[in-house]
Amino acid sequence: MLIHAIRSSRTMWKGQRRRLRNWGFEVIAPDLPGHGLRRGETFTLDGALATIDEAVSACEQPPLLVGLSLGGYLTLHWAGTHPGRLSGVVAADCTIVPGPASARLYGLWITMKDFLPGDSDSRVARSFARRHSRKAAKRYYGGGRAHGVVRAVVRLIGGLDLLADIAAIDVPLTLVNGEHDPFRRHEALFLEAARDGELVILEDAGHIANLSRPKRFAKLLRDRARPRTPLGSIA
């Protein structure tokens, strides 16, 4: 199960979805409220968590829950508060402790280009393509660029106790960061808080690592989705 980043949609996972399905996995990638096909809805924490809960409930077996950036924060929080329902967790590009001040700076960072003259959506997509590729930009914004969600996301991120959530996760946790991702600041704290955690750094990748290095990211998910002995069980 793949949970997307802010202002993106399920389309950002297109490459991973195709590869994982070719390897025989069932893949679910819902749109969060206010994003993609649900852009007419209001983004709320309860709505986002309900989206994950409904998708997990629809799975015949406990799934591997994967999230990136905003999706990573939601994944960690949901996994920490819903024990016994997953086979594993992968959280990418979200290893920074989100206090209120840093959350406000994050909100300013992702909205500042909207205040420049001209079509902000086209300008941001071109900038994303220069950092990654045209294909990556098409996938990240393939479901449209969500508007009106930043303020709610900032409140959400600033109010989470992620280290407590991580400590409560009862399945293997893999933290994934791009080598050049600015959200790596507290990765050691996140890893220390985990009961059963590992950290993977994707070389020459930045934020939104699944689009920086799509094949490597897909292979990582494939490997983590394979059956593994749960915590506390006897092999």
Side-chain angles (χ1 to χ4, degrees):
M1 182 169 305
L2 310 175
I3 309 300
H4 63 78
I6 189 171
R7 285 193 160 180
S8 184
S9 69
R10 62 199 302 172
T11 64
M12 69 173 279
W13 299 112
K14 184 177 180 180
Q16 284 76 43
R17 287 162 60 192
R18 175 175 55 81
R19 290 184 174 89
L20 289 167
R21 285 170 176 163
N22 287 342
W23 290 326
F25 293 99
E26 180 182 355
V27 184
I28 300 173
D31 283 332
L32 294 170
H35 296 75
L37 297 176
R38 302 174 65 184
R39 279 184 290 165
E41 301 179 28
T42 300
F43 179 89
T44 65
L45 175 59
D46 288 344
L49 296 177
T51 298
I52 298 174
D53 194 75
E54 291 169 8
V56 171
S57 297
C59 296
E60 294 183 1
Q61 301 176 12
L64 175 70
L65 182 60
V66 181
L68 189 148
S69 194
L70 168 62
Y73 289 124
L74 291 171
T75 288
L76 292 171
H77 182 62
W78 192 93
T81 53
H82 293 77
R85 298 184 61 185
L86 301 172
S87 64
V89 175
V90 175
D93 300 324
C94 61
T95 52
I96 188 168
V97 177
S102 60
R104 286 194 295 272
L105 288 174
Y106 171 73
L108 177 61
W109 173 55
I110 62 177
T111 58
M112 61 183 179
K113 291 186 178 181
D114 289 349
F115 296 100
L116 298 174
D119 186 341
S120 64
D121 289 351
S122 296
R123 181 172 55 251
V124 168
R126 289 194 300 270
S127 176
F128 194 96
R130 286 193 296 270
R131 293 195 308 274
H132 299 276
S133 69
R134 292 178 65 183
K135 178 187 286 188
K138 184 176 181 180
R139 287 181 175 174
Y140 194 81
Y141 295 115
R145 182 167 175 256
H147 293 272
V149 299
V150 174
R151 183 173 296 179
V153 168
V154 167
R155 288 198 301 268
L156 155 69
I157 292 176
L160 295 179
D161 186 350
L162 283 177
L163 296 181
D165 290 331
I166 291 169
I169 292 175
D170 61 346
V171 292
L173 167 64
T174 301
L175 302 169
V176 183
N177 281 330
E179 179 183 8
H180 307 297
D181 183 10
F183 280 51
R184 290 185 58 186
R185 182 177 178 186
H186 297 129
E187 59 189 20
L189 291 177
F190 279 53
L191 189 60
E192 182 180 358
R195 301 188 201 177
D196 183 6
E198 65 173 327
L199 174 66
V200 177
I201 303 300
L202 295 183
E203 294 181 2
D204 199 27
H207 196 58
I208 318 298
N210 79 304
L211 294 175
S212 293
R213 292 293 175 263
K215 293 181 181 179
R216 277 188 267 168
F217 201 97
K219 289 179 180 178
L220 183 148
L221 297 187
R222 178 195 62 189
D223 294 343
R224 299 313 180 277
R226 289 171 175 163
R228 184 180 165 187
T229 303
L231 285 173
S233 65
I234 300 176

